[in-house]
Amino acid sequence: MRTLVDLSQHSSIVAPKLLGSILHGPNGSGRIVETEAYGGADDPASHSSRGLTPRTEPMFGPAGVLYVYLIYGMYHCANVVTGPDGDGQAVLIRAIEPVEVTTAMQRARPKARREIDIANGPGKLCQALGIDRSHDGEDLASPNSAVRLELVESTPRDERVQTTRIGLSVATETPWRWYLRGSAWVSKT
DNA sequence: CCGCCGATCTTT
DNA sequence: AAGATCGGCGGG
């Protein structure tokens, strides 16, 4: 069986390759359609650039771990830790296409009037799948984890769009955001 | 459809 | 004091 994606590579290498892979959570599963890479000490937009803190500890662990943080006091964001152990790199999952819109997902996203609004954003997908801080630090490859990553063979290069990251006040020109070309499930820009 | 603004609270 | 966001509101 061939290796699909080597998570210990740099986040900017891993992020585009994660498009198409499946993220499983307590409420259901979704196909990853949008990602962003965050680097280590050299990336001022990355949480890890200010050094190891209690919050960012999972980022400095081995690749393949889940990093979940609270943003704006009310939403969660889910990241796949990548790169060498101790480097502090991660890939933010920004949008998923539900494999199936489960009733649990609908209950978790009462504000979503249209199906495409159920998980088209980093905070929305965590709500939809039921991911929160209690899952921070989980091993995404372990069958015992509530949140798991099912790696799928990378989509062809020409099906990915590369552009700049969203919502930042620094490093706004770094083109480390990728999404599936033509997908209706990508976050609004 | 678009832009603005407030919510809410952890982290620095 | 700011932040890797979201949704409601008002205007065009």
Side-chain angles (χ1 to χ4, degrees):
Chain A
M1 174 168 158
R2 61 168 292 222
T3 302
L4 296 171
V5 184
D6 180 4
L7 296 179
S8 70
Q9 289 183 296
H10 193 273
S11 57
S12 62
I13 301 295
V14 175
K17 292 184 177 176
L18 285 185
L19 295 179
S21 285
I22 307 293
L23 187 63
H24 300 278
N27 293 345
S29 308
R31 176 175 176 244
I32 296 171
V33 298
E34 180 181 353
T35 57
E36 278 179 359
Y38 286 87
D42 52 344
D43 179 9
S46 178
H47 288 173
S48 62
S49 67
R50 266 93 58 193
L52 194 156
T53 64
R55 176 177 69 155
T56 59
E57 193 215 303
M59 282 189 88
F60 288 90
V65 159
L66 178 70
Y67 168 51
V68 182
Y69 66 91
L70 182 67
I71 187 171
Y72 294 109
M74 56 191 113
Y75 300 105
H76 296 276
C77 287
N79 302 257
V80 178
V81 174
T82 72
D85 195 342
D87 230 58
Q89 300 174 26
V91 172
L92 170 69
I93 310 301
R94 281 198 59 91
I96 59 166
E97 171 183 347
V99 169
E100 172 195 6
V101 179
T102 64
T103 55
M105 289 172 68
Q106 287 178 317
R107 275 198 301 271
R109 291 280 304 140
K111 301 291 176 56
R113 304 238 173 166
R114 306 172 302 171
E115 254 193 9
I116 59 168
D117 291 324
I118 257 193
N120 59 345
K124 296 176 189 178
L125 76 89
C126 283
Q127 273 187 341
L129 294 182
I131 299 172
D132 59 37
R133 289 273 298 157
S134 72
H135 308 291
D136 187 41
E138 280 191 351
D139 177 1
L140 286 164
S142 169
N144 301 323
S145 296
V147 182
R148 297 173 313 280
L149 180 64
E150 180 189 343
L151 296 175
V152 168
E153 183 153 356
S154 306
T155 54
R157 272 186 114 66
D158 62 354
E159 287 184 19
R160 310 173 199 150
V161 178
Q162 178 176 192
T163 179
T164 53
R165 296 178 291 187
I166 291 180
L168 304 183
S169 56
V170 295
T172 55
E173 302 303 303
T174 306
W176 280 1
R177 170 176 176 246
W178 289 264
Y179 61 89
L180 283 183
R181 186 183 301 281
S183 172
W185 305 88
V186 169
S187 72
K188 300 305 166 242
T189 60

